[in-house]
């Protein structure tokens, strides 16, 4: 791994302690919308500004883009391009439930396809702060404390027997073929529903127990809700590095060519067998 990639991950590690602490007193909304038209929380803006400032100071970073800012910030002349969702699942602030920080490190100017990711990962603000980090085809899980990362598991792979399923969007808005697939998944008594309304929390359950997470295409939103650069690609990269699959419904999310920075994409990630079946169901 290049020194600059390592530096990006170190900065995110150190910043996560401040982002977590910064949630206190910042659970209200600001009078602004993000580029996807969603109301921003004070903590969204705080986390974005913190990461922007810190990542811009790294010599190897050329661009920083986030779900919370319209434009790409040109920050240097390095060869790494960092995209982040600084606070994924911030609607969970009000109820004090899990949230995360998602990041993708690309080697091409943004917007870029997931095939140009050199590393990606996420921080989970759960009862403890953890990170799942993928690069060079492997995933490592860490516990984060005092700005340091401690390895808790190397070569993380999805368990063979899938246990968890969680699907976003309102059921009446699901296309009929997706709904039929879901009914089949939940008819298996070995499968359990887990849905917390923060992608990182839900995806981390899949990485831990095996299964499938999806935020699918909806009847009136054929590209779903989640953003390709900031959510779909990094999560697809992590799950594929852990031996699973990602899909937009027909192919790996990483193969989707972006048109615009804030493009959305249907997200389905999890055990290979379940994603294969999903693609067959949506054919
Ligand atoms: P934000 O990045 O704006 O927080 O939105 C993303 C997200 O919160 C995901 O983390 C989660 O999977 C999804 O939206 C939940 O959406 P819904 O409220 O429709 O279930």
């Amino acid at each position: 791994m290049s020194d600059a990639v390592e530096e990006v991950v170190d900065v995110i590690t150190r910043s996560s302690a401040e982002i977590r602490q910064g949630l206190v007193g910042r659970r209200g909304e600001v009078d602004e919308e993000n580029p996807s038209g969603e109301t921003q929380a004070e903590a969204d803006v705080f986390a974005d500004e913190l990461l922007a400032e810190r990542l811009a100071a790294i010599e190897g970073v050329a661009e920083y883009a986030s779900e919370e800012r319209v434009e790409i910030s040109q920050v240097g002349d390095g060869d790494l391009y960092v995209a982040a969702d600084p606070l994924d699942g911030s609607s969970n602030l009000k109820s004090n439930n899990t949230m995360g920080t998602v990041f993708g490190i690309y080697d091409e100017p943004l917007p870029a396809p997931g095939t140009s990711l050199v590393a990606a990962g996420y921080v989970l603000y759960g009862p403890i702060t953890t990170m799942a980090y993928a690069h060079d085809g492997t995933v490592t899980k860490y516990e984060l404390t005092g700005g340091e990362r401690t390895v808790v598991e190397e070569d993380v792979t999805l368990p063979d027997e899938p246990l968890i399923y969680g699907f976003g969007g309102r059921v009446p808005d699901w296309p009929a073929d997706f709904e039929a697939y879901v009914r089949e998944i939940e008819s298996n008594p070995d499968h359990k529903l887990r849905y917390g309304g923060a992608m990182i929390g839900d995806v981390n359950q899949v990485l831990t127990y095996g299964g499938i997470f999806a935020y699918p295409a909806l009847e009136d939103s054929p590209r779903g809700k989640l953003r390709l650069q900031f959510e779909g690609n990094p999560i697809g990269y992590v799950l594929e590095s852990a031996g699973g699959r990602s899909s937009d419904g027909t192919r790996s999310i990483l193969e989707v060519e972006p048109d615009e920075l804030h493009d959305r994409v249907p997200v389905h990630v999890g055990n290979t067998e379940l994603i294969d079946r999903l693609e067959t169901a949506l054919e």
Side-chain angles (χ1 to χ4, degrees):
M1 186 173 26
S2 87
D3 287 351
V5 172
E6 180 72 10
E7 229 180 299
V8 169
V9 182
D10 281 349
V11 160
I12 292 169
T13 300
R14 285 199 299 277
S15 303
S16 65
E18 284 153 87
I19 292 174
R20 183 174 187 123
Q21 187 56 37
L23 302 178
V24 177
R26 290 192 179 85
R27 294 165 73 188
E29 291 174 352
V30 293
D31 201 10
E32 297 283 338
E33 287 188 344
N34 72 14
S36 303
E38 292 152 353
T39 308
Q40 289 178 304
E42 288 172 78
D44 280 322
V45 177
F46 172 75
D48 178 51
E49 285 173 358
L50 192 76
L51 286 182
E53 188 189 310
R54 302 271 170 86
L55 293 170
I58 300 173
E59 219 171 280
V61 175
E63 293 179 349
Y64 169 74
S66 101
E67 196 179 297
E68 305 304 334
R69 48 185 67 210
V70 179
E71 305 287 351
I72 297 166
S73 301
Q74 308 291 338
V75 295
D77 53 10
D79 51 13
L80 296 179
Y81 305 81
V82 183
D85 182 355
L87 201 54
D88 168 71
S90 53
S91 59
N92 275 358
L93 274 166
K94 191 169 177 182
S95 57
N96 187 26
N97 284 98
T98 296
M99 277 160 278
T101 294
V102 196
F103 61 94
I105 308 171
Y106 297 81
D107 64 6
E108 268 182 45
L110 303 169
T115 47
S116 64
L117 279 166
V118 293
Y122 61 81
V123 175
L124 173 68
Y125 306 104
I128 53 174
T129 308
T130 55
M131 177 186 277
Y133 174 54
H135 67 102
D136 292 338
T138 72
V139 179
T140 309
K141 274 191 182 173
Y142 301 90
E143 288 176 353
L144 310 189
T145 179
E148 300 292 327
R149 270 180 287 156
T150 307
V151 174
V152 286
E153 192 181 346
E154 283 178 332
D155 296 324
V156 176
T157 53
L158 279 168
D160 290 337
E161 296 299 326
L163 179 66
I164 299 302
Y165 64 92
F167 304 118
R170 294 177 66 250
V171 179
D173 297 335
W174 288 346
D177 49 5
F178 182 76
E179 186 175 349
Y181 171 79
V182 172
R183 299 298 166 232
E184 197 190 304
I185 294 295
E186 62 191 6
S187 70
N188 182 332
D190 294 334
H191 293 162
K192 284 195 211 179
L193 170 65
R194 290 286 185 272
Y195 189 75
M199 182 191 70
I200 287 308
D202 295 327
V203 163
N204 194 62
Q205 295 235 22
V206 170
L207 186 60
T208 307
Y209 297 115
I212 178 169
F213 166 81
Y215 206 110
L218 303 176
E219 286 295 355
D220 59 354
S221 175
R223 297 179 91 166
K225 176 180 184 189
L226 303 178
R227 270 68 32 149
L228 178 63
Q229 296 295 289
F230 314 112
E231 292 159 321
N233 276 340
I235 290 309
Y237 186 89
V238 172
L239 272 285
E240 290 193 16
S241 302
R245 279 203 61 204
S246 76
S247 176
D248 72 343
T250 57
R251 66 203 147 144
S252 163
I253 293 172
L254 307 185
E255 285 164 16
V256 176
E257 282 294 331
D259 296 320
E260 289 176 20
L261 185 65
H262 293 278
D263 275 356
R264 297 176 192 267
V265 69
V267 169
H268 317 84
V269 291
N271 284 69
T272 298
E273 173 233 330
L274 296 183
I275 303 294
D276 288 348
R277 275 168 55 193
L278 170 101
E279 286 182 343
T280 305
L282 299 189
E283 259 169 13

